[in-house]
């Protein structure tokens, strides 16, 4: 048994699974790089049998519980059939654009879906995997570095659309990522954005929460024109939003029946300095949908996802099939609507309750006691659909603990 993982003597064992400092802020170069290089660094708690757990000294038992809790709140990102489709298209689009040496507009990508469906994490993981590959290919050096300087190499830039977007505000959000100074005029801001993308050899520009643009405001329409113009900056522009087809962003676009791409001409040519050229902008639109529980294939995909979640849990009474046998798959689907973010929250809170009560397993009566509470999400815009509707909690048939629980005395420290 590894003392570092289970809380042996010495300070290193106490902090081996704890985060040092605040979580990475991906909205800056430093934060993105910290997240990218540490995104797979967390090591879950080791699996212990009930006898092994009870044999631990009190201090090591408490630290192991803390490590198990950390394991449950840091469940690994799982690939789903829906996210696989997004990742495949995103990978091919980024790579094709990165290898395109001709001048002109680069085709973009729109990732649409509901809140808490994993759009951001899926896109960021795919972009980070590309950056890992791209950095290795260039031996960690900026291929466009000016002789005699050490220009920072930033293959991927990640930004969030301001809640009340303006062209100036979007430029400032992009410049904030690089830590670059602001110019005084919009023309100067756009020039600074272009210079930052070029000087850092940025290949991918991700703009999250794009459906904060309501399109009934003039500023929103000008901001969308600016985004279209960014596609001529030799970077792959990836837009992430909630229900993009229903948001109005595509109202001037038209789908190409041959390619499935959306062609978006500039809506306000000549209105301002950043107005797009006559070149039309092309986006692929891909949906990251929740799971569906209708056909045998869809049900099997849901059960496989539950099995992957179950494999990551560290409850002492966990058993194979805990989340996949009997009525549990259908119950979990009814509780979450097939939305992976809601499933994660329900499972996390259920594991906490199971550890606190000594039941050490997930079952329907225990989960009936859990209310899915998404908390006070100040960084999300409810009007843009970024907070999903939580399915109503069913009336529990039974709230009694399983009669054969062998962990009834755990909470008492016996």
């Amino acid at each position: 048994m590894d003392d570092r993982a289970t809380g042996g003597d010495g300070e290193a064992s106490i902090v081996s699974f704890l985060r040092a400092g605040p979580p990475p802020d991906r909205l800056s170069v430093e934060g993105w790089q910290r997240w990218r290089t540490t995104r797979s660094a967390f090591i879950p708690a080791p699996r212990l049998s009930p006898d092994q757990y009870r044999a631990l000294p009190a201090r090591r038992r408490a630290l192991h519980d803390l490590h198990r809790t950390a394991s449950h709140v840091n469940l690994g990102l799982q690939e789903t059939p829906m996210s696989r489709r997004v990742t495949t298209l995103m990978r091919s689009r980024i790579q094709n654009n990165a290898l395109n040496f001709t001048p002109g507009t680069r085709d973009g990508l729109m990732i649409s879906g509901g809140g808490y469906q994993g759009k951001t994490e899926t896109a960021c993981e795919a972009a980070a995997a590309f950056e890992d590959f791209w950095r290795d290919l260039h031996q960690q050096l900026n291929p466009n570095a000016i002789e005699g300087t050490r220009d920072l190499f930033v293959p991927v830039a990640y930004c969030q659309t301001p809640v009340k977007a303006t062209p100036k505000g979007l430029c400032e959000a992009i410049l904030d990522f690089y830590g670059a100074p602001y110019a005084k005029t919009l023309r100067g801001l756009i020039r600074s954005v272009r210079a930052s993308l070029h000087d850092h050899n940025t290949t991918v520009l991700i703009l999250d929460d794009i459906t904060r643009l309501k399109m009934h405001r003039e500023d929103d329409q000008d901001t969308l024109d600016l985004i279209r113009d960014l596609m001529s900056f030799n970077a792959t522009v990836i837009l992430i939003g909630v229900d993009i087809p229903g948001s109005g962003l595509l109202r001037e676009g038209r789908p190409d029946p041959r390619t499935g791409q959306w062609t978006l001409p500039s809506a306000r040519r000549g209105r301002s300095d950043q107005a797009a050229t006559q070149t039309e902008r092309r986006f692929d639109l891909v949906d990251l949908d929740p799971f569906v529980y209708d056909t045998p294939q869809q049900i099997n995909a849901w059960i496989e996802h539950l099995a992957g979640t179950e494999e990551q849990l560290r409850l002492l009474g966990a058993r194979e099939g805990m989340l996949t046998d009997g009525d549990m798959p259908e119950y979990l689907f009814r509780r979450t609507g097939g939305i992976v973010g809601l499933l994660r929250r329900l499972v996390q809170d259920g594991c906490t309750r199971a550890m606190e009560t000594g039941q050490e397993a997930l079952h329907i009566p225990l989960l009936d006691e859990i209310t899915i509470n998404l908390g006070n999400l100040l960084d999300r815009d409810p009007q843009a659909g970024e907070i999903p509707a939580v399915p109503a909690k069913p009336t529990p048939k039974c709230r009694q603990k399983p009669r054969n629980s062998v962990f009834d005395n755990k909470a008492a420290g016996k």
Side-chain angles (χ1 to χ4, degrees), residues 77-210:
L77 182 67
Q78 294 186 73
E79 187 178 63
T80 67
M82 299 76 72
S83 68
R84 188 180 305 118
R85 183 171 64 249
V86 172
T87 299
T88 300
L89 179 57
M90 185 172 168
R91 183 187 301 118
S92 63
R93 176 52 40 81
I94 293 173
Q95 181 170 289
N96 289 347
N97 285 347
L99 297 175
N100 184 354
F101 303 122
T102 60
T105 300
R106 300 290 183 260
D107 289 356
L109 179 64
M110 291 182 174
I111 302 175
S112 179
Y116 273 70
Q117 288 176 195
K119 301 181 301 299
T120 296
E121 294 308 314
T122 297
C124 285
E125 175 59 34
F130 166 79
E131 180 169 344
D132 293 341
F133 162 75
W134 205 240
R135 283 181 173 277
D136 289 342
L137 190 64
H138 291 90
Q139 299 179 338
Q140 307 298 322
L141 299 176
N142 188 341
N144 291 333
I146 301 173
E147 185 176 356
T149 69
R150 296 181 62 188
D151 291 343
L152 193 61
F153 189 22
V154 183
V156 176
Y158 171 80
C159 307
Q160 286 182 324
T161 307
V163 174
K164 291 186 177 180
T166 64
K168 179 180 178 181
L170 181 60
C171 285
E172 291 175 348
I174 297 173
L175 294 174
D176 282 342
F177 178 84
Y178 294 101
Y182 300 161
K184 293 183 179 180
T185 65
L186 179 58
R187 183 190 296 270
L189 285 168
I190 296 173
R191 187 162 48 245
S192 296
V193 169
R194 181 188 294 271
S196 291
L197 291 168
H198 176 269
D199 293 346
H200 296 86
N201 199 38
T202 298
T203 306
V204 181
L205 174 61
I206 300 175
L207 299 179
D208 204 350
D209 303 322
I210 191 62

Side-chain angles (χ1 to χ4, degrees), residues 30-70:
E30 296 79 9
W32 173 270
Q33 294 306 325
R34 182 182 167 204
W35 170 78
R36 181 184 65 84
T37 56
T38 63
R39 69 189 193 277
S40 302
F42 179 78
I43 300 176
R47 299 181 187 276
L48 299 182
S49 68
D51 289 341
Q52 289 175 317
Y53 175 82
R54 294 190 180 102
L56 292 175
R59 177 176 175 276
R60 292 180 62 187
R61 190 187 307 173
L63 286 174
H64 183 64
D65 284 344
L66 187 63
H67 196 174
R68 291 197 294 146
T69 299

Side-chain angles (χ1 to χ4, degrees), residues 115-117 290-291 302 330-343 345-346 367-368 370-374 387-395:
Y116 273 70
Q117 288 176 195
F291 280 95
W302 174 247
E330 184 174 353
Y331 172 84
L332 292 173
F333 185 85
R334 286 191 290 112
R335 289 296 310 271
T336 64
I339 299 174
V340 294
L342 298 186
L343 174 68
R345 180 59 60 89
L346 178 61
L367 293 176
D368 275 343
I370 304 297
T371 298
I372 300 177
N373 185 357
L374 300 180
I387 301 178
V390 179
K393 187 169 67 172
T395 302

Side-chain angles (χ1 to χ4, degrees), residues 53-54 61 355-360 401 405-414:
Y53 175 82
R54 294 190 180 102
R61 190 187 307 173
M355 291 174 61
E356 290 174 346
T357 60
Q359 298 180 58
E360 288 289 349
K401 194 165 45 177
S405 174
V406 296
F407 305 105
D408 294 345
N409 294 328
K410 173 180 173 270
K414 297 182 181 180

Side-chain angles (χ1 to χ4, degrees), residues 167 186-187 190 222 225 268-276:
L186 179 58
R187 183 190 296 270
I190 296 173
D222 286 340
D225 262 352
R268 305 176 66 80
R269 294 177 183 133
R271 285 280 305 169
S272 57
D273 291 332
Q274 84 279 11

